[in-house]
């Protein structure tokens, strides 16, 4: 069951520009997480935002959460070639606290 | 050097054969997970285990089996009953959270299984 859906599915921007990815989900959550996956590799945890938080920053990353709209966004500022990867949101639903559910991902390409 | 290891990185099998994928962690995490990823797709949960000698089915458990005899190890067997086993398999672990709540997961490098 896919809880989260990312938008857009693919994004190509110029190096130095900002990249914004969105995630929508269906059920109430305890927290929402964003992960990055380089091609053919495992996922790397980027940032977690709890259901009672609205915004969180980590370096060049900014995550927002709107529980009333069941949506989140990930902003990467001043993009670099190394940011080229797939980005996934994952939600920890109230109904099943012991697992998280991943969305289908956004493929981000940074043009030099 | 703490982390999760998966072996092998690439695995080739003939149709009808069972195959076991290895996952080992030295992070002292209680919870471990197996996911399947198809090209251009997200992750789908196969099995998970919150404690030694206990595991639960995920969303796509049919055709797979697991064991959790040691905290460090969570091997996945892809049986001949799995209709379309060719995929990228990812193992993850997670530290304990309050009331069993899951926080971040740590992933291994993955095993790409090809069945012909």
């Amino acid at each position: 069951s896919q809880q989260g859906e990312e938008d857009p599915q693919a994004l190509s921007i110029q190096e130095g520009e900002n990249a914004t990815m969105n995630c929508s989900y269906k059920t109430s959550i305890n927290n929402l997480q964003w992960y990055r996956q380089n091609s053919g590799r495992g996922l790397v945890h980027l940032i977690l935002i709890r259901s009672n938080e609205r915004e969180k920053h980590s370096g060049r990353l900014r995550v927002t959460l709107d529980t009333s709209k069941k949506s989140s966004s990930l902003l990467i500022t001043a993009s670099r070639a190394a940011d080229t990867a797939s980005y996934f949101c994952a939600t920890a639903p109230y109904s099943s606290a012991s697992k998280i559910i991943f969305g289908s991902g956004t493929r981000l390409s940074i043009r030099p | 050097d703490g982390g999760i290891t998966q072996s092998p990185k690439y695995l080739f099998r003939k149709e009808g054969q069972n195959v076991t994928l290895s996952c080992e962690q030295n992070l002292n995490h209680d919870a471990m997970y197996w996911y399947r990823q198809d090209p251009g797709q997200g992750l789908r949960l196969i099995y998970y285990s919150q404690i030694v000698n206990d595991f639960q089915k995920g969303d796509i458990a049919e055709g797979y089996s697991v064991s959790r005899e040691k905290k460090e190890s969570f091997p996945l067997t892809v049986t001949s009953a799995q209709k379309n086993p060719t995929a990228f398999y990812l193992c993850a672990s997670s530290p304990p959270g309050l009331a069993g709540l899951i926080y971040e997961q740590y992933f291994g490098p993955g095993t790409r299984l090809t069945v012909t």
Side-chain angles (χ1 to χ4, degrees), chain A residues 98, chain B residues 30-33 48-52 54-56 68 100 102:
Chain A
S98 55
Chain B
D30 288 315
M32 296 187 74
Y33 306 82
Y48 64 104
S49 169
Q50 293 179 273
I51 198 167
V52 174
D54 187 46
F55 48 82
Q56 287 79 40
R68 186 84 187 277
I102 294 302

Side-chain angles (χ1 to χ4, degrees), chain B residues 3-88:
Chain B
I4 300 179
T5 57
Q6 291 185 244
S7 60
K9 188 171 177 64
Y10 299 96
L11 193 53
F12 298 89
R13 280 293 183 271
K14 294 289 187 185
E15 197 172 318
Q17 293 179 333
N18 291 355
V19 59
T20 297
L21 281 61
S22 166
C23 177
E24 304 278 332
Q25 55 101 356
N26 60 4
L27 300 168
N28 200 33
H29 290 168
D30 288 315
M32 296 187 74
Y33 306 82
W34 273 106
Y35 295 93
R36 170 184 173 134
Q37 186 178 33
D38 292 287
Q41 303 294 314
L43 278 64
R44 291 186 289 169
L45 182 64
I46 304 172
Y47 268 98
Y48 64 104
S49 169
Q50 293 179 273
I51 198 167
V52 174
N53 292 322
D54 187 46
F55 48 82
Q56 287 79 40
K57 292 181 179 179
D59 299 317
I60 55 165
E62 186 175 349
Y64 300 97
S65 66
V66 293
S67 63
R68 186 84 187 277
E69 297 176 2
K70 299 187 298 181
K71 188 175 186 177
E72 302 79 18
S73 179
F74 191 39
L76 173 74
T77 297
V78 184
T79 74
S80 56
Q82 168 50 233
K83 296 283 188 283
N84 185 18
T86 294
F88 189 50

